[in-house]
Coordinates of all heavy atoms in Angstrom, one line a residue:
M7 N -15.5 -19.7 -0.4 CA -14.2 -19.8 -0.9 C -13.5 -21.0 -0.4 O -13.6 -21.4 0.8 CB -13.5 -18.5 -0.4 CG -12.0 -18.5 -0.8 SD -11.2 -17.0 -0.2 CE -11.0 -16.1 -1.8
E8 N -12.8 -21.7 -1.2 CA -12.0 -22.8 -0.8 C -10.9 -22.4 0.1 O -10.3 -21.4 0.0 CB -11.5 -23.6 -2.0 CG -12.5 -24.2 -2.9 CD -11.9 -25.0 -4.1 OE1 -10.7 -25.4 -3.9 OE2 -12.6 -25.2 -5.0
I9 N -10.5 -23.4 1.0 CA -9.3 -23.1 1.9 C -8.1 -22.9 1.0 O -7.2 -22.0 1.3 CB -9.2 -24.3 2.9 CG1 -10.4 -24.3 3.8 CG2 -7.9 -24.1 3.7 CD1 -10.4 -25.4 4.8
G10 N -7.9 -23.7 0.0 CA -6.7 -23.6 -0.8 C -6.6 -22.2 -1.6 O -5.5 -21.6 -1.6
A11 N -7.7 -21.8 -1.9 CA -7.8 -20.5 -2.7 C -7.5 -19.4 -1.7 O -6.8 -18.4 -2.0 CB -9.2 -20.3 -3.3
A12 N -8.0 -19.5 -0.4 CA -7.7 -18.5 0.6 C -6.2 -18.5 0.9 O -5.6 -17.4 1.1 CB -8.5 -18.7 1.8
M13 N -5.6 -19.7 1.0 CA -4.2 -19.8 1.3 C -3.4 -19.1 0.2 O -2.5 -18.4 0.4 CB -3.8 -21.3 1.5 CG -2.5 -21.5 2.0 SD -2.2 -21.5 3.7 CE -3.1 -22.9 4.3
N14 N -3.7 -19.5 -1.1 CA -3.0 -18.9 -2.2 C -3.1 -17.4 -2.3 O -2.2 -16.7 -2.6 CB -3.5 -19.6 -3.5 CG -3.0 -20.9 -3.7 OD1 -1.9 -21.3 -3.2 ND2 -3.7 -21.8 -4.5
S15 N -4.4 -16.9 -2.0 CA -4.6 -15.5 -2.1 C -3.7 -14.8 -1.0 O -3.1 -13.7 -1.2 CB -6.1 -15.2 -1.8 OG -6.3 -13.9 -1.8
G16 N -3.7 -15.4 0.2 CA -2.9 -14.8 1.2 C -1.4 -14.8 0.9 O -0.7 -13.9 1.2
L17 N -0.9 -15.9 0.3 CA 0.5 -16.0 -0.1 C 0.8 -15.0 -1.1 O 1.9 -14.4 -1.1 CB 0.8 -17.4 -0.5 CG 0.9 -18.5 0.6 CD1 1.0 -19.9 0.0 CD2 2.0 -18.2 1.6
Q18 N -0.1 -14.9 -2.1 CA 0.2 -13.9 -3.2 C 0.2 -12.4 -2.6 O 1.0 -11.6 -3.0 CB -0.9 -14.0 -4.3 CG -0.7 -15.2 -5.1 CD -1.8 -15.4 -6.1 OE1 -2.8 -14.7 -6.1 NE2 -1.7 -16.3 -7.0
G19 N -0.6 -12.2 -1.7 CA -0.7 -10.9 -1.0 C 0.6 -10.6 -0.2 O 1.2 -9.5 -0.2
M20 N 1.1 -11.6 0.4 CA 2.3 -11.5 1.2 C 3.5 -11.2 0.2 O 4.3 -10.4 0.5 CB 2.6 -12.8 2.0 CG 1.7 -13.0 3.1 SD 1.8 -14.6 3.9 CE 3.4 -14.5 4.6
Q21 N 3.5 -11.8 -1.0 CA 4.6 -11.6 -1.9 C 4.5 -10.1 -2.4 O 5.5 -9.5 -2.5 CB 4.5 -12.6 -3.1 CG 4.9 -14.0 -2.7 CD 4.6 -15.0 -3.8 OE1 3.8 -14.8 -4.6 NE2 5.3 -16.2 -3.6
R22 N 3.3 -9.7 -2.7 CA 3.1 -8.3 -3.1 C 3.6 -7.3 -2.1 O 4.3 -6.3 -2.4 CB 1.7 -8.1 -3.6 CG 1.3 -8.6 -5.0 CD 0.0 -8.2 -5.4 NE -1.1 -8.4 -4.4 CZ -1.9 -9.4 -4.4 NH1 -1.6 -10.4 -5.2 NH2 -2.8 -9.5 -3.5
A23 N 3.2 -7.6 -0.9 CA 3.6 -6.7 0.3 C 5.1 -6.7 0.4 O 5.7 -5.7 0.7 CB 2.9 -7.2 1.5
N24 N 5.7 -7.9 0.3 CA 7.2 -8.0 0.4 C 7.8 -7.1 -0.7 O 8.8 -6.4 -0.4 CB 7.6 -9.4 0.2 CG 9.1 -9.6 0.5 OD1 9.6 -9.0 1.3 ND2 9.7 -10.5 -0.2
Q25 N 7.3 -7.2 -1.9 CA 7.9 -6.3 -3.0 C 7.7 -4.8 -2.7 O 8.6 -4.1 -3.0 CB 7.2 -6.7 -4.3 CG 7.6 -8.0 -4.9 CD 6.8 -8.4 -6.1 OE1 5.7 -7.9 -6.4 NE2 7.2 -9.4 -6.9
Q26 N 6.6 -4.5 -2.2 CA 6.3 -3.1 -1.8 C 7.3 -2.6 -0.7 O 7.9 -1.5 -0.8 CB 4.9 -2.9 -1.3 CG 4.5 -1.5 -1.0 CD 3.0 -1.3 -0.6 OE1 2.3 -2.4 -0.3 NE2 2.6 -0.1 -0.4
V27 N 7.6 -3.5 0.3 CA 8.5 -3.1 1.3 C 9.9 -3.0 0.7 O 10.6 -2.1 1.1 CB 8.4 -4.1 2.5 CG1 9.6 -4.0 3.4 CG2 7.1 -4.0 3.2
S28 N 10.3 -3.9 -0.1 CA 11.6 -3.9 -0.8 C 11.8 -2.6 -1.6 O 12.8 -1.9 -1.5 CB 11.8 -5.1 -1.6 OG 11.8 -6.3 -0.8
E29 N 10.8 -2.2 -2.4 CA 10.9 -1.0 -3.2 C 11.0 0.2 -2.3 O 11.8 1.1 -2.6 CB 9.7 -0.9 -4.1 CG 9.7 -1.9 -5.3 CD 8.4 -1.9 -6.1 OE1 7.7 -0.8 -6.1 OE2 8.1 -2.9 -6.8
A30 N 10.2 0.3 -1.3 CA 10.2 1.5 -0.5 C 11.5 1.6 0.3 O 12.1 2.7 0.4 CB 9.0 1.4 0.6
S31 N 12.1 0.4 0.6 CA 13.4 0.4 1.3 C 14.4 0.9 0.4 O 15.3 1.7 0.8 CB 13.7 -0.9 1.8 OG 12.8 -1.4 2.8
R32 N 14.4 0.5 -0.9 CA 15.4 1.0 -1.9 C 15.2 2.5 -2.1 O 16.2 3.2 -2.2 CB 15.2 0.3 -3.2 CG 15.9 -1.1 -3.3 CD 15.9 -1.7 -4.6 NE 14.6 -1.9 -5.2 CZ 13.9 -3.0 -5.0 NH1 14.4 -4.0 -4.3 NH2 12.8 -3.1 -5.6
E33 N 14.0 2.9 -2.1 CA 13.8 4.4 -2.3 C 14.3 5.2 -1.2 O 14.9 6.3 -1.4 CB 12.3 4.7 -2.6 CG 11.8 4.2 -3.9 CD 10.3 4.3 -4.0 OE1 9.6 4.8 -3.1 OE2 9.7 3.7 -5.0
I34 N 14.1 4.7 0.0 CA 14.6 5.4 1.2 C 16.1 5.5 1.2 O 16.7 6.5 1.5 CB 14.1 4.8 2.5 CG1 12.6 5.0 2.7 CG2 14.8 5.3 3.7 CD1 11.8 4.2 3.7
A35 N 16.7 4.4 0.9 CA 18.2 4.3 0.8 C 18.7 5.2 -0.2 O 19.7 5.9 -0.1 CB 18.7 2.9 0.6
S36 N 18.1 5.2 -1.5 CA 18.6 6.1 -2.5 C 18.3 7.6 -2.2 O 19.2 8.4 -2.6 CB 18.0 5.7 -3.9 OG 16.6 6.1 -3.9
A37 N 17.3 7.9 -1.5 CA 17.0 9.3 -1.1 C 18.1 9.7 -0.1 O 18.6 10.9 -0.2 CB 15.6 9.4 -0.5
A38 N 18.5 8.9 0.8 CA 19.6 9.3 1.7 C 20.9 9.5 1.0 O 21.6 10.4 1.3 CB 19.8 8.1 2.8
G39 N 21.1 8.7 0.0 CA 22.4 8.8 -0.9 C 22.3 10.1 -1.7 O 23.3 10.8 -1.8
R40 N 21.1 10.4 -2.2 CA 21.0 11.7 -3.0 C 21.2 12.9 -2.1 O 21.8 13.8 -2.5 CB 19.6 11.7 -3.6 CG 19.4 10.9 -4.9 CD 18.2 11.2 -5.6 NE 16.9 11.2 -4.8 CZ 16.1 10.2 -4.6 NH1 16.4 9.0 -5.2 NH2 15.1 10.2 -3.8
N41 N 20.7 12.7 -0.9 CA 20.9 13.9 0.1 C 22.3 14.2 0.4 O 22.8 15.3 0.4 CB 20.1 13.6 1.3 CG 20.0 14.9 2.3 OD1 20.1 16.0 1.8 ND2 20.0 14.6 3.5
D42 N 23.1 13.0 0.5 CA 24.5 13.2 0.8 C 25.3 13.8 -0.4 O 26.1 14.7 -0.3 CB 25.1 11.8 1.1 CG 24.7 11.3 2.5 OD1 24.2 12.1 3.3 OD2 24.9 10.1 2.7
V43 N 24.9 13.3 -1.6 CA 25.5 13.8 -2.9 C 25.1 15.3 -3.1 O 26.0 16.2 -3.4 CB 25.1 13.0 -4.1 CG1 25.4 13.7 -5.4 CG2 25.7 11.6 -3.9
Q44 N 23.9 15.7 -2.8 CA 23.4 17.0 -2.9 C 24.2 18.0 -2.0 O 24.6 19.0 -2.4 CB 21.9 17.1 -2.6 CG 21.3 18.6 -2.8 CD 21.3 19.0 -4.2 OE1 21.2 18.3 -5.2 NE2 21.6 20.3 -4.3
Q45 N 24.4 17.6 -0.8 CA 25.1 18.4 0.2 C 26.5 18.6 -0.3 O 27.1 19.6 -0.2 CB 25.0 17.8 1.6 CG 23.7 17.9 2.2 CD 23.6 17.2 3.5 OE1 24.5 16.5 4.0 NE2 22.5 17.4 4.3
Q46 N 27.1 17.5 -0.8 CA 28.5 17.6 -1.2 C 28.6 18.5 -2.4 O 29.5 19.3 -2.5 CB 29.0 16.1 -1.5 CG 30.5 16.2 -1.8 CD 31.1 14.7 -2.0 OE1 30.3 13.8 -2.3 NE2 32.4 14.6 -1.8
D47 N 27.7 18.4 -3.4 CA 27.7 19.2 -4.6 C 27.5 20.6 -4.2 O 28.2 21.5 -4.8 CB 26.6 18.8 -5.5 CG 26.9 17.5 -6.3 OD1 28.1 17.0 -6.3 OD2 26.0 16.9 -6.9
N48 N 26.6 20.9 -3.3 CA 26.4 22.3 -2.9 C 27.7 22.9 -2.2 O 28.0 24.0 -2.5 CB 25.2 22.4 -1.8 CG 23.9 22.2 -2.4 OD1 23.7 22.3 -3.6 ND2 22.9 21.9 -1.6
A49 N 28.3 22.1 -1.4 CA 29.6 22.6 -0.8 C 30.6 22.8 -1.9 O 31.4 23.8 -1.8 CB 30.1 21.6 0.2
N50 N 30.7 21.9 -2.8 CA 31.8 22.1 -3.9 C 31.4 23.2 -4.8 O 32.3 24.0 -5.3 CB 31.8 20.8 -4.8 CG 32.4 19.7 -4.1 OD1 33.1 19.9 -3.1 ND2 32.2 18.4 -4.5
T51 N 30.2 23.5 -5.1 CA 29.8 24.6 -6.0 C 30.0 26.0 -5.4 O 30.4 26.9 -6.0 CB 28.2 24.5 -6.3 OG1 28.0 23.2 -6.9 CG2 27.8 25.6 -7.2
N52 N 29.9 26.0 -4.1 CA 30.1 27.3 -3.3 C 31.4 27.4 -2.7 O 31.6 28.1 -1.8 CB 29.0 27.4 -2.3 CG 27.6 27.5 -2.9 OD1 27.5 28.2 -4.0 ND2 26.6 26.9 -2.4
G53 N 32.4 26.7 -3.3 CA 33.8 26.8 -2.8 C 33.9 26.4 -1.3 O 34.6 27.0 -0.5
G54 N 33.1 25.4 -0.9 CA 33.2 24.9 0.5 C 32.2 25.6 1.4 O 32.1 25.2 2.5
Q55 N 31.6 26.6 0.9 CA 30.6 27.4 1.7 C 29.2 26.7 1.5 O 28.9 26.2 0.5 CB 30.5 28.9 1.3 CG 31.8 29.6 1.4 CD 32.2 29.7 2.9 OE1 31.4 29.9 3.8 NE2 33.5 29.5 3.2
P56 N 28.4 26.8 2.5 CA 27.0 26.2 2.3 C 26.2 26.9 1.2 O 26.5 28.1 1.0 CB 26.4 26.4 3.7 CG 27.5 26.8 4.6 CD 28.6 27.3 3.9
A57 N 25.3 26.2 0.6 CA 24.5 26.7 -0.4 C 23.5 27.8 0.2 O 23.4 27.8 1.4 CB 23.7 25.6 -1.1
T58 N 23.0 28.5 -0.7 CA 22.0 29.5 -0.3 C 20.9 28.8 0.4 O 20.5 27.7 0.1 CB 21.5 30.4 -1.4 OG1 20.7 29.5 -2.3 CG2 22.6 31.1 -2.1
E59 N 20.2 29.5 1.3 CA 19.1 28.9 2.1 C 18.0 28.4 1.1 O 17.5 27.4 1.3 CB 18.5 29.9 3.0 CG 19.5 30.4 4.1 CD 19.1 29.8 5.4 OE1 18.0 29.3 5.5 OE2 20.0 29.8 6.3
T60 N 17.7 29.1 0.1 CA 16.6 28.8 -0.8 C 16.9 27.5 -1.5 O 16.0 26.6 -1.6 CB 16.3 29.9 -1.8 OG1 16.1 31.1 -1.1 CG2 15.1 29.6 -2.7
A61 N 18.1 27.3 -2.1 CA 18.5 26.1 -2.8 C 18.5 24.9 -1.8 O 18.0 23.8 -2.2 CB 19.8 26.3 -3.5
T62 N 19.0 25.1 -0.7 CA 19.1 24.0 0.3 C 17.7 23.6 0.8 O 17.5 22.4 0.8 CB 20.0 24.5 1.5 OG1 21.2 24.9 1.0 CG2 20.1 23.4 2.5
E63 N 16.9 24.6 1.0 CA 15.6 24.3 1.5 C 14.7 23.6 0.4 O 14.0 22.6 0.8 CB 14.8 25.6 1.9 CG 15.3 26.2 3.2 CD 14.7 27.5 3.5 OE1 13.9 28.0 2.7 OE2 15.0 28.1 4.5
T64 N 14.9 24.0 -0.8 CA 14.2 23.3 -1.9 C 14.6 21.9 -2.0 O 13.8 21.0 -2.2 CB 14.5 24.0 -3.2 OG1 14.0 25.4 -3.2 CG2 13.7 23.4 -4.4
A65 N 15.9 21.6 -2.0 CA 16.5 20.2 -2.1 C 16.0 19.4 -0.9 O 15.6 18.2 -1.1 CB 18.0 20.3 -2.1
Q66 N 16.0 20.0 0.3 CA 15.6 19.3 1.4 C 14.1 19.0 1.4 O 13.7 17.9 1.8 CB 15.9 20.0 2.7 CG 17.4 20.0 3.0 CD 17.7 20.9 4.2 OE1 16.9 21.8 4.6 NE2 18.9 20.8 4.8
S67 N 13.4 19.9 0.9 CA 11.9 19.7 0.8 C 11.6 18.6 -0.2 O 10.7 17.7 0.1 CB 11.2 21.0 0.3 OG 9.9 20.8 0.1
V68 N 12.2 18.5 -1.3 CA 12.0 17.4 -2.3 C 12.4 16.1 -1.7 O 11.6 15.2 -1.8 CB 12.8 17.7 -3.6 CG1 12.8 16.5 -4.5 CG2 12.2 18.9 -4.3
N69 N 13.6 16.1 -1.1 CA 14.0 14.8 -0.4 C 13.1 14.4 0.7 O 12.8 13.2 0.9 CB 15.5 14.9 0.1 CG 16.5 14.9 -1.0 OD1 16.2 14.4 -2.1 ND2 17.6 15.5 -0.8
A70 N 12.6 15.4 1.5 CA 11.7 15.0 2.5 C 10.4 14.4 2.1 O 9.9 13.5 2.6 CB 11.5 16.3 3.5
A71 N 9.9 15.0 1.0 CA 8.6 14.5 0.5 C 8.8 13.2 -0.1 O 8.0 12.3 0.1 CB 8.1 15.5 -0.7
S72 N 9.9 12.9 -0.8 CA 10.2 11.6 -1.3 C 10.4 10.5 -0.2 O 9.8 9.5 -0.3 CB 11.5 11.6 -2.2 OG 11.8 10.4 -2.6
T73 N 11.1 10.9 0.8 CA 11.3 10.0 1.9 C 10.0 9.7 2.6 O 9.7 8.6 3.0 CB 12.4 10.6 2.9 OG1 13.6 10.8 2.1 CG2 12.7 9.7 4.0
T74 N 9.2 10.8 2.8 CA 8.0 10.6 3.5 C 7.0 9.7 2.7 O 6.4 8.8 3.3 CB 7.2 12.0 3.7 OG1 8.1 12.9 4.4 CG2 5.9 11.8 4.3
D75 N 7.0 9.9 1.4 CA 6.1 8.9 0.6 C 6.7 7.5 0.7 O 5.9 6.6 0.8 CB 6.2 9.3 -0.9 CG 5.4 10.7 -1.1 OD1 4.7 11.1 -0.3 OD2 5.7 11.3 -2.2
S76 N 8.0 7.3 0.7 CA 8.6 6.0 0.8 C 8.3 5.4 2.1 O 8.0 4.2 2.2 CB 10.0 6.0 0.6 OG 10.3 6.5 -0.7
L77 N 8.3 6.2 3.2 CA 8.0 5.7 4.6 C 6.5 5.3 4.7 O 6.2 4.2 5.3 CB 8.4 6.7 5.6 CG 9.9 6.9 5.9 CD1 10.0 8.1 6.7 CD2 10.5 5.7 6.5
V78 N 5.6 6.0 4.1 CA 4.2 5.7 4.1 C 4.1 4.3 3.3 O 3.3 3.4 3.8 CB 3.4 6.8 3.5 CG1 2.0 6.3 3.2 CG2 3.4 8.0 4.4
S79 N 4.8 4.2 2.2 CA 4.7 3.0 1.4 C 5.2 1.8 2.2 O 4.7 0.6 2.1 CB 5.4 3.1 0.1 OG 5.3 2.0 -0.7
L80 N 6.3 2.0 2.9 CA 6.9 0.9 3.7 C 5.9 0.5 4.8 O 5.7 -0.7 5.0 CB 8.2 1.5 4.4 CG 9.0 0.5 5.2 CD1 9.6 -0.6 4.3 CD2 10.1 1.3 5.9
N81 N 5.3 1.4 5.4 CA 4.2 1.1 6.5 C 3.0 0.4 5.9 O 2.5 -0.6 6.5 CB 3.8 2.4 7.2 CG 3.1 2.1 8.5 OD1 3.1 1.0 9.0 ND2 2.3 3.1 9.0
E82 N 2.6 0.8 4.7 CA 1.5 0.2 4.0 C 1.9 -1.3 3.7 O 1.0 -2.2 3.9 CB 1.3 0.9 2.7 CG 0.1 1.7 2.6 CD -0.1 2.4 1.2 OE1 0.3 1.7 0.2 OE2 -0.5 3.5 1.2
G83 N 3.1 -1.5 3.2 CA 3.5 -2.8 2.9 C 3.6 -3.7 4.1 O 3.1 -4.9 4.1
Q84 N 4.0 -3.2 5.2 CA 4.0 -4.0 6.5 C 2.6 -4.3 6.9 O 2.3 -5.5 7.3 CB 4.7 -3.2 7.6 CG 4.7 -3.9 8.9 CD 5.3 -3.0 10.1 OE1 5.7 -1.9 9.8 NE2 5.3 -3.6 11.2
T85 N 1.7 -3.4 6.8 CA 0.3 -3.7 7.2 C -0.3 -4.7 6.3 O -1.0 -5.5 6.8 CB -0.5 -2.3 7.2 OG1 0.1 -1.4 8.1 CG2 -1.9 -2.5 7.6
N86 N -0.1 -4.5 5.0 CA -0.6 -5.5 4.0 C -0.1 -6.9 4.3 O -0.8 -7.9 4.2 CB -0.3 -5.1 2.6 CG -1.1 -3.9 2.2 OD1 -2.1 -3.6 2.7 ND2 -0.6 -3.2 1.2
F87 N 1.2 -7.0 4.6 CA 1.9 -8.3 4.9 C 1.2 -8.9 6.1 O 0.9 -10.2 6.1 CB 3.4 -8.1 5.1 CG 4.1 -9.4 5.1 CD1 4.6 -10.0 3.9 CD2 4.3 -10.1 6.3 CE1 5.3 -11.2 4.0 CE2 5.0 -11.4 6.3 CZ 5.5 -11.9 5.2
E88 N 1.0 -8.1 7.2 CA 0.4 -8.6 8.4 C -1.0 -9.1 8.1 O -1.5 -10.1 8.7 CB 0.4 -7.6 9.5 CG 1.8 -7.3 10.0 CD 1.9 -6.1 10.9 OE1 0.9 -5.3 11.1 OE2 2.9 -5.8 11.4
A89 N -1.8 -8.4 7.3 CA -3.2 -8.8 7.1 C -3.2 -10.1 6.3 O -4.1 -11.0 6.5 CB -3.8 -7.7 6.3
N90 N -2.4 -10.2 5.3 CA -2.3 -11.4 4.5 C -1.8 -12.6 5.3 O -2.1 -13.7 5.1 CB -1.4 -11.2 3.3 CG -2.2 -10.5 2.2 OD1 -3.2 -11.0 1.7 ND2 -1.7 -9.2 1.9
T91 N -0.9 -12.4 6.3 CA -0.5 -13.4 7.2 C -1.6 -13.9 8.0 O -1.7 -15.2 8.2 CB 0.7 -12.8 8.1 OG1 1.8 -12.4 7.4 CG2 1.1 -13.9 9.1
R92 N -2.5 -13.0 8.4 CA -3.7 -13.5 9.2 C -4.6 -14.3 8.3 O -5.2 -15.3 8.8 CB -4.4 -12.2 9.7 CG -3.8 -11.8 11.0 CD -4.5 -10.6 11.7 NE -3.5 -9.6 11.4 CZ -3.9 -8.3 11.2 NH1 -5.1 -7.9 11.2 NH2 -3.0 -7.4 10.9
T93 N -4.7 -14.0 7.1 CA -5.5 -14.8 6.1 C -4.9 -16.2 6.0 O -5.7 -17.2 6.1 CB -5.5 -14.2 4.8 OG1 -6.1 -12.8 4.8 CG2 -6.3 -14.9 3.7
V94 N -3.6 -16.3 5.9 CA -3.0 -17.6 5.7 C -3.2 -18.4 7.1 O -3.5 -19.6 7.1 CB -1.5 -17.5 5.4 CG1 -0.8 -18.8 5.4 CG2 -1.3 -16.9 4.0
E95 N -3.0 -17.8 8.2 CA -3.1 -18.4 9.4 C -4.6 -18.9 9.7 O -4.8 -20.0 10.2 CB -2.8 -17.5 10.6 CG -1.3 -17.2 10.7 CD -1.0 -16.1 11.7 OE1 -1.9 -15.3 12.2 OE2 0.2 -16.0 12.1
T96 N -5.6 -18.1 9.3 CA -7.0 -18.5 9.4 C -7.3 -19.7 8.5 O -7.9 -20.7 8.9 CB -7.9 -17.4 9.0 OG1 -7.6 -16.3 9.9 CG2 -9.3 -17.7 9.1
A97 N -6.8 -19.7 7.3 CA -7.0 -20.8 6.3 C -6.3 -22.1 6.9 O -6.9 -23.2 6.9 CB -6.4 -20.5 5.0
D98 N -5.1 -21.9 7.5 CA -4.4 -23.1 8.2 C -5.2 -23.6 9.3 O -5.4 -24.9 9.5 CB -3.0 -22.6 8.7 CG -2.2 -23.7 9.2 OD1 -2.1 -24.8 8.6 OD2 -1.7 -23.5 10.3
E99 N -5.8 -22.7 10.2 CA -6.6 -23.2 11.3 C -7.9 -23.9 10.8 O -8.2 -24.9 11.4 CB -7.0 -22.0 12.1 CG -5.8 -21.4 13.0 CD -6.2 -20.2 13.7 OE1 -7.5 -19.9 13.8 OE2 -5.3 -19.4 14.2
M100 N -8.5 -23.4 9.8 CA -9.6 -24.0 9.2 C -9.3 -25.5 8.7 O -10.1 -26.4 8.9 CB -10.3 -23.2 8.1 CG -10.9 -21.9 8.6 SD -11.5 -20.8 7.2 CE -12.6 -21.9 6.4
L101 N -8.2 -25.5 8.0 CA -7.8 -26.8 7.4 C -7.5 -27.8 8.6 O -7.9 -29.0 8.5 CB -6.5 -26.7 6.6 CG -6.0 -27.9 5.9 CD1 -7.0 -28.5 5.0 CD2 -4.7 -27.5 5.1
G102 N -6.8 -27.3 9.6 CA -6.5 -28.2 10.8 C -7.8 -28.6 11.4 O -8.0 -29.8 11.9
T103 N -8.8 -27.8 11.6 CA -10.1 -28.1 12.1 C -10.9 -29.2 11.3 O -11.3 -30.2 11.8 CB -11.0 -26.9 12.3 OG1 -10.4 -25.9 13.1 CG2 -12.3 -27.2 12.9
L104 N -10.8 -29.0 10.0 CA -11.4 -30.0 9.0 C -10.7 -31.3 9.2 O -11.4 -32.4 9.2 CB -11.4 -29.5 7.6 CG -12.4 -28.4 7.3 CD1 -12.0 -27.9 5.9 CD2 -13.8 -28.9 7.4
I105 N -9.4 -31.4 9.4 CA -8.7 -32.6 9.5 C -9.1 -33.3 10.8 O -9.3 -34.5 10.8 CB -7.2 -32.4 9.3 CG1 -6.8 -32.0 7.9 CG2 -6.4 -33.6 9.7 CD1 -5.4 -31.6 7.6
D106 N -9.1 -32.5 11.8 CA -9.4 -33.0 13.1 C -10.8 -33.6 13.2 O -11.1 -34.6 13.9 CB -9.3 -31.9 14.3 CG -7.8 -31.6 14.5 OD1 -6.9 -32.4 14.1 OD2 -7.5 -30.5 15.1
T107 N -11.8 -32.9 12.5 CA -13.2 -33.2 12.5 C -13.4 -34.5 11.7 O -14.1 -35.4 12.1 CB -14.0 -32.2 11.8 OG1 -13.8 -31.0 12.6 CG2 -15.5 -32.5 11.8
S108 N -12.7 -34.7 10.6 CA -12.8 -35.9 9.7 C -12.1 -37.1 10.3 O -12.4 -38.2 9.9 CB -12.4 -35.6 8.3 OG -11.0 -35.4 8.3
A109 N -11.2 -36.9 11.2 CA -10.4 -38.0 11.7 C -11.1 -38.9 12.8 O -12.0 -38.7 13.3 CB -9.1 -37.5 12.3

């Protein structure tokens, strides 16, 4: 594999990982917003009283699953970014070594 191709592959991987982290972050933020709205709707529907345990538990379970998936995706994106960073660093070191050797 050429050094340039390795560098480009690493950079593209970093961009994809960055997009994954951004999407996961947006999902986490919107899940938090949905949770706040859901709690407010439940209080309004029940005349200021908390919703029934079953409805609240169901909403919390759905939000928790969504948030958990988003957190896993966020962690995946971070790991992918770090791995691609190492690829770029290795290609950079190889290029430096070649330049030092040929000089």
Side-chain angles (χ1 to χ4, degrees):
M7 178 181 253
E8 292 182 22
I9 294 174
M13 185 87 66
N14 285 334
S15 178
L17 290 173
Q18 288 174 353
M20 290 169 68
Q21 289 172 341
R22 284 190 306 270
N24 186 40
Q25 289 173 343
Q26 183 177 5
V27 167
S28 294
E29 287 176 22
S31 298
R32 278 192 298 273
E33 290 171 5
I34 291 167
S36 72
R40 282 192 309 266
N41 190 31
D42 291 345
V43 169
Q44 179 68 35
Q45 287 176 351
Q46 188 175 24
D47 286 346
N48 287 342
N50 290 339
T51 301
N52 295 319
Q55 298 297 320
T58 62
E59 295 256 344
T60 307
T62 302
E63 287 174 0
T64 301
Q66 288 174 346
S67 175
V68 169
N69 285 337
S72 174
T73 303
T74 301
D75 291 344
S76 297
L77 287 169
V78 168
S79 182
L80 183 68
N81 194 16
E82 254 179 34
Q84 178 184 357
T85 303
N86 289 338
F87 192 90
E88 290 169 357
N90 284 293
T91 298
R92 278 181 252 147
T93 300
V94 171
E95 288 172 348
T96 301
D98 182 52
E99 287 175 17
M100 289 174 59
L101 183 60
T103 300
L104 286 174
I105 290 172
D106 289 344
T107 302
S108 66

